[in-house]
Amino acid sequence: MIIANWKCNGSTEMVLSWFEAYNIEFNFENYDFDIFIGLALPSIYLNHFDREDSQFNFAEWGVQDVDHSDGSRTGAISVDMLIDMECDFSIIGHSERRQIFNEDNDLIKEKLKSLNNRIMPVLCIGETKEENDKGITKDILKNQLEIVNGLELDESFTIAYEPVWAIGSGLTPEPKDINEIHKYIKDVVQSNSANNLIPTVLYGGSVTDKNAESFFKEEFVDGALVGGASLDGTTFAKIVNIFNSTKKT
Ligand code: PEP
């Protein structure tokens, strides 16, 4: 699984040129069609063009965040609206939502509950540099994962492990350390969810076409959530091609 997170970037012109570049680079001939390739463009562009058109048909469509309720909530987009617009997934709990918009675990849990069994949730978790330096990464992740406790999770439930210090910095943990953390995340969710689900776990944080292979080779890395490098259609297609060549779904 590879997901692009465009964040608050893009324009009509960029969307169209991105797909053109992507489709030139994307290795259609050797593509394993079971691989989930998700695009979380700014939601305003979701229905800006014909998603049925063949140039877009490799993609699953998602959003970068969602609200847990509807009605008098100015600026919000609800889960019902995502279903109405045929969205496939929503990211929740991104560190930028936690830090800039002050979202806490209670709110993120409400979002998870409103998505669960309806639209695939992609829950972001990760420690800060300070927490990493203190050696408390696992404690922080366990705390962020408390929101799954006792929940009957949908099979599609996905986690993106995104160390905050790796996002947009060009820094990443060592692949073997990411692998160990992914195993830990899978174990925690399996132990604490009502249905003992083993989630899909993506790595996110400064993934590029240069370092992607080193992460994808690791046993418990099920794919990537890609920010900055996803803004270039050619680079994103290269990352998908690298993932495809490791034959993971
Ligand atoms: C992100 O913020 O979700 C992300 C993965 O960013 P980047 O790839 O730019 O580090």
Side-chain angles (χ1 to χ4, degrees), residues 5 7 94 96 162 166-169 204-207 225-229:
N5 174 14
K7 310 189 183 187
H94 193 281
E96 287 156 12
E162 300 207 305
I167 293 177
S169 64
S206 296
V207 173
L225 178 56
V226 186

Side-chain angles (χ1 to χ4, degrees), residues 52-96:
E52 300 302 313
D53 190 289
S54 63
Q55 66 176 316
F56 308 130
N57 68 7
F58 65 89
E60 313 281 342
W61 300 86
V63 291
Q64 301 165 14
D65 196 49
V66 70
D67 201 5
H68 62 286
S69 190
D70 55 12
S72 304
R73 303 177 69 78
T74 301
I77 294 177
S78 71
V79 176
D80 283 343
M81 291 171 189
L82 299 190
I83 292 168
D84 188 32
M85 297 312 281
E86 300 182 1
C87 277
D88 303 296
F89 68 93
S90 174
I91 297 171
I92 50 172
H94 193 281
S95 60
E96 287 156 12

Side-chain angles (χ1 to χ4, degrees), residues 5 63-68 79 82 89-98 103-105 107-116 119-125 147-148 151 157-160 162 225:
N5 174 14
V63 291
Q64 301 165 14
D65 196 49
V66 70
D67 201 5
H68 62 286
V79 176
L82 299 190
F89 68 93
S90 174
I91 297 171
I92 50 172
H94 193 281
S95 60
E96 287 156 12
R97 301 293 315 177
R98 294 178 194 256
E103 294 196 3
D104 62 13
N105 252 6
L107 177 63
I108 296 163
K109 181 170 188 168
E110 290 309 310
K111 295 184 181 201
L112 174 59
K113 286 197 315 201
S114 60
L115 285 167
N116 197 30
I119 298 255
M120 179 178 127
V122 180
L123 170 67
C124 298
I125 58 172
I147 68 172
V148 309
L151 276 188
F157 178 63
T158 298
I159 292 184
E162 300 207 305
L225 178 56

Side-chain angles (χ1 to χ4, degrees), residues 3-197:
I3 297 182
N5 174 14
W6 279 24
K7 310 189 183 187
C8 194
N9 295 290
S11 62
T12 301
E13 201 186 327
M14 176 182 160
V15 172
L16 295 173
S17 60
W18 189 97
F19 279 96
E20 213 178 295
Y22 181 93
N23 282 315
I24 291 169
E25 187 65 34
F26 181 42
N27 189 350
F28 270 105
E29 270 172 36
N30 297 314
Y31 176 52
D32 173 348
F33 283 88
D34 286 337
I35 294 175
F36 184 109
I37 305 171
L39 303 182
L41 275 49
S43 53
I44 199 166
Y45 293 118
L46 255 182
N47 253 33
H48 196 46
F49 41 85
D50 178 12
R51 285 191 265 150
E52 300 302 313
D53 190 289
S54 63
Q55 66 176 316
F56 308 130
N57 68 7
F58 65 89
E60 313 281 342
W61 300 86
V63 291
Q64 301 165 14
D65 196 49
V66 70
D67 201 5
H68 62 286
S69 190
D70 55 12
S72 304
R73 303 177 69 78
T74 301
I77 294 177
S78 71
V79 176
D80 283 343
M81 291 171 189
L82 299 190
I83 292 168
D84 188 32
M85 297 312 281
E86 300 182 1
C87 277
D88 303 296
F89 68 93
S90 174
I91 297 171
I92 50 172
H94 193 281
S95 60
E96 287 156 12
R97 301 293 315 177
R98 294 178 194 256
Q99 290 182 339
I100 304 170
F101 301 95
N102 295 321
E103 294 196 3
D104 62 13
N105 252 6
D106 291 342
L107 177 63
I108 296 163
K109 181 170 188 168
E110 290 309 310
K111 295 184 181 201
L112 174 59
K113 286 197 315 201
S114 60
L115 285 167
N116 197 30
N117 294 314
R118 302 180 76 206
I119 298 255
M120 179 178 127
V122 180
L123 170 67
C124 298
I125 58 172
E127 82 286 0
T128 63
K129 171 92 177 68
E130 199 187 2
E131 291 159 348
N132 188 279
D133 289 347
K134 279 190 195 153
I136 56 170
T137 295
K138 286 185 178 169
D139 299 331
I140 297 299
L141 299 179
K142 194 166 187 189
N143 185 269
Q144 291 173 339
L145 285 172
E146 267 177 15
I147 68 172
V148 309
N149 291 3
L151 276 188
E152 187 91 21
L153 292 167
D154 190 85
E155 287 281 309
S156 70
F157 178 63
T158 298
I159 292 184
Y161 168 53
E162 300 207 305
V164 179
W165 54 273
I167 293 177
S169 64
L171 304 171
T172 67
E174 289 300 318
K176 67 173 181 11
D177 295 334
I178 294 173
N179 198 46
E180 190 202 322
I181 292 288
H182 282 212
K183 170 85 174 71
Y184 175 74
I185 291 169
K186 284 172 187 271
D187 288 347
V188 170
V189 175
Q190 187 182 20
S191 308
N192 296 336
S193 56
N195 51 336
N196 304 120
L197 184 91

